[in-house]
Amino acid sequence: MSKKILNPPSPKMLINSIRQIGYSFESAVSDIIDNSISASAKNIDIFFPVNSDEKMYTAFVDDGSGMSRKGVINALKIGSSFEGERKQNDLGRFGLGLKSASFSQCRKLTVASKVNDQLVAFGWDIDDVEKSNEWFCNEYSSNEIKAIPQIDKISILKNGTLVVWREFDLISSKLESVKDLHRQLSNILELTRTHIGLHFHRYLNKKLVISINNVPIVGLDPFLENHLKIEKGQLSSLSLKAKNNQEYTVQIQPYTLPHYLDLSDEDIALLGGIDKIRAGQGFYIYRQERLIVHNTWFGIGAKAEVFKYARIKVDIPNTLDDIWDIDVKKQNAAIPAKLLAHFRKTVGDIQLRSKKKTRHKQLAIGQDDNKIWNKKKARNGKESYYINLDSKFINEYINENFHETSYSKIYSLLEIIGSTIPFDAIYNSVCNQCIDTDLDSEKEREIIEIAKNMALKFAQVKKIGIDKSLQAILNFEPFNHLDIKKVLKELGCE
Ligand SMILES: Nc1ncnc2c1ncn2[C@@H]1O[C@H](COP(=O)(O)OP(=O)(O)OP(=O)(O)O)[C@@H](O)[C@H]1O
Ligand SMILES: [Mg+2]
């Protein structure tokens, strides 16, 4: 019979591996906020020194339930134990977030906490763990406690918790000079505002205040629920069985945003800027009202300019974590197979609504998706031309060659290029009959090459013959000017 051998992890190795789970600064901050929300905090204050002479730190103060000495020791344990069932408002799951999020950013993590005026403070120092190769954490003496940054903020509370990050070695290692750390972290923290504003908007807009250096963060509602022209689709509640065999409800609420001409500057700011409207299409998955995944159609549909007004809010309870494959960073989730058919239908419906909305304002202008350039009429009745971002070619090309995260930048670039047409110069050249509209052979070769690849892909995806696929492609720009014989020759089907 085999023998049992105790084989514990090497502290030095494990603590450094945990650092590389892949948190961004914003997602690490969000994990600390999750803990404060789970502890029923009403106020969460994030501080960092504005004076660059002061040593950099990030401090999180909350007025939640706080922790006893035993509680803080357990909180700092890699893999905190948890007895019984998690409460409904508990955003935690793995017993790891406080440590993994903190170590992903800093070498020194301090937690001071207070229950009924009893203040205790403990901390991890990665240097100590590396030196001793043991899981020794530090209990702070009352004198040491006095020196913890922002400790006075928790001293005035009856219950609450202060988490402090110090020694940002990973961020510093990417900087040219140590002096840049202050500027870099201040910048990241300010950018974190938008991330928190979006991910916690449902808390910020009713029951919680989160501030950075005393400036409250504004909740960013991606559905503009208060806008008069927001269109809410049918709300569905679906039951799913968790691993414990109990049924829990998932709620799905589709939205179509108002047309951008109906948006005020304030609305656009709430959506994060005009270019974020397009990027923001897709699902928004909330776990206990905290956003975890957004800006994706989960592969059910492609992102496109015409779908930019379509958004689907999905609410899942923490009791269904297993089924949704929630990860440690609370950044990923996968759609359970049982919901796929319903989601597909909802995506189809909402994308169609968005498409209609886009078309609605453009039809009067006349849009032809076979063309790359379309004509539009301005409000003053004058005509102009623009790059049609829904052109079959542009959509296919972008979806095929770029990652989703780059779409909004590429679309913005095309819009800028489209808005700088040198009309006068073109007009003069046309009048002087000195404009060259022929494709040079190099360009033609490139276009044939793209046509060839697209035709092959179309044939494969749509399961049709190559000549049928080619016929379809040659209907739209820039392929409609090609010599079909040349393309067929390229494809080896003369
Ligand atoms: N600000 C806080 N106030 C009160 N208790 C806290 C606070 N932060 C952490 N804790 C306690 O420490 C425990 C461990 O926190 P940690 O973030 O490591 O894991 P978790 O929240 O249980 O799960 P997850 O890994 O999913 O975040 C929490 O379950 C909670 O009991
Ligand atoms: Mg946590």
Side-chain angles (χ1 to χ4, degrees), residues 90-118:
D90 195 339
L91 296 174
R93 171 166 160 72
F94 299 99
L96 205 59
L98 170 65
K99 289 74 63 177
S100 52
S102 305
F103 295 155
S104 74
Q105 304 305 317
C106 72
R107 286 186 82 74
K108 209 169 169 178
L109 161 67
T110 307
V111 178
S113 201
K114 213 173 165 189
V115 180
N116 290 330
D117 281 329
Q118 293 293 315

Side-chain angles (χ1 to χ4, degrees), residues 358-371 373-377 383-386 388:
T358 328
R359 295 267 183 271
H360 179 66
K361 299 270 174 176
Q362 289 189 355
L363 259 185
I365 300 155
Q367 175 163 339
D368 181 351
D369 289 345
N370 285 330
K371 289 187 174 168
W373 287 94
N374 273 190
K375 189 156 74 169
K376 65 179 174 189
K377 231 183 200 128
E383 291 173 347
S384 68
Y385 290 81
Y386 66 99
N388 175 19

Side-chain angles (χ1 to χ4, degrees), residues 26 103-104 237 246 258 270 320 342 348 353 364 371 375 446 466:
E26 309 85 90
F103 295 155
S104 74
S237 299
Q246 287 211 39
L270 273 182
L320 288 175
H342 185 89
R353 277 169 180 273
K371 289 187 174 168
K375 189 156 74 169
E446 268 175 37
I466 191 75

